[in-house]
Amino acid sequence: GWKSVCALLESLERTREKKQRAAKLQKFWAWAERTVGRPFANGETAVLLRLLHPLADARRYYLKERSLSEACIQALGLSSRGAGAALRDWQEGGVAAAASDDGGDGDDEMWGPRVGFTSTVKGQGDLSAVIQSTIDERVGSLSGGAARRELYLSDVDGALTSLARRDARAADDGRAAGRDVLRALLSRCTGVEAKWFVRVLLRDLRISGCGEQRDAYSGTWPRLIFDSFSEGLYVAYSWRGDLAAAAMAAEATRARGGGDASAAAMPTS
């Protein structure tokens, strides 16, 4: 499920040494295949690779931090005070405004009323961390989030596809569709699951000391991610420019017991 991918990303975020990261990734791939009971096939690996390296994902969501924070406020049913204010001003430090005694953070239908509380929202300056703190404060680590329905990779991938398909030109309809998708997904997230979903959505995992974006463009991060599944997968992807096709070639190579995936991806003359 999505929580397993988030646990991996949390572990990778805490680990700086490249060999340790590679070992954790290889262990994850082996565990994932044991979990499904068979080797990955038919491009299934590409779904995971897009989540672990969002810059390889061709989907575009047209959501920047400011518009995403507003969409999340509405998706979570927050008022303009308290946690809603902290989300809107996520770049600024400080304490979320004290909620009033007549409904607290708003009688939102997803979370229920929060009466007379003052909250210090963690993670100011990092939108994903502020959203994590906001959700943690309400549902903690409860599996399935507020909706009590666990998230699977197909749910996350489907939500991203829906967000990419919404008509960004039809402003009102597009925003409404985006809010509906975000609301449905965030209601099923724990805080840490929401954190990583937001980072994937923003195409910046913020992993490594100098930032995931820099590693991604220099090749360090994607090579680590791709080649941990099958040696040569990064070269195959770079050559083809088609993640699904490269993933299928790597799956075939892995199913045969190993080898260089880049050779399987090259055309035969």
Side-chain angles (χ1 to χ4, degrees), residues 128-268:
S128 65
V130 175
I131 291 174
Q132 177 184 9
S133 177
T134 301
I135 293 179
D136 276 343
E137 197 169 71
R138 286 154 174 76
V139 300
S141 59
L142 188 66
S143 180
R148 312 293 198 274
R149 292 175 58 212
E150 186 176 345
L151 276 173
Y152 296 95
L153 292 181
S154 57
D155 299 317
V156 175
D157 190 60
L160 292 171
T161 297
S162 295
L163 287 169
R165 284 177 177 169
R166 82 190 198 287
D167 190 350
R169 295 167 299 177
D172 292 339
D173 291 343
R175 282 195 293 267
R179 285 196 302 270
D180 289 345
V181 172
L182 285 171
R183 183 180 181 84
L185 188 126
L186 291 173
S187 71
R188 298 172 63 184
C189 282
T190 61
V192 72
E193 289 170 345
K195 163 189 166 180
W196 289 108
F197 175 73
V198 168
R199 289 187 180 184
V200 168
L201 196 57
L202 294 173
R203 295 161 58 82
D204 183 3
L205 294 183
R206 301 172 67 96
I207 287 179
S208 86
C210 57
E212 194 268 346
Q213 293 275 25
R214 179 175 171 181
D215 272 1
Y217 285 117
S218 68
T220 305
W221 178 256
R223 186 183 294 274
L224 179 69
I225 293 293
F226 290 10
D227 286 0
S228 67
F229 177 74
S230 179
E231 184 180 355
L233 175 53
Y234 176 68
V235 172
Y237 164 66
S238 299
W239 182 84
R240 278 180 173 267
D242 183 334
L243 181 57
M248 289 181 70
E251 288 165 351
T253 299
R254 188 178 173 95
R256 291 194 298 269
D260 191 327
S262 63
M266 299 298 178
T268 56

Side-chain angles (χ1 to χ4, degrees), residues 55-128:
L55 289 175
D57 195 340
R59 292 173 295 194
R60 296 294 181 268
Y61 314 111
Y62 305 103
L63 283 167
K64 299 298 184 182
E65 285 92 340
R66 182 174 179 178
S67 57
L68 181 56
S69 66
E70 290 292 338
C72 286
I73 288 170
Q74 296 185 47
L76 295 173
L78 302 175
S79 73
S80 60
R81 294 169 294 180
L87 266 177
R88 183 168 287 111
D89 301 324
W90 61 274
Q91 289 179 304
E92 301 175 9
V95 179
S100 67
D101 290 335
D102 60 354
D105 209 16
D107 293 325
D108 56 87
E109 58 185 276
M110 182 188 298
W111 307 109
R114 301 279 293 176
V115 178
F117 79 107
T118 303
S119 171
T120 301
V121 177
K122 299 177 182 178
Q124 296 294 145
D126 176 355
L127 176 59
S128 65

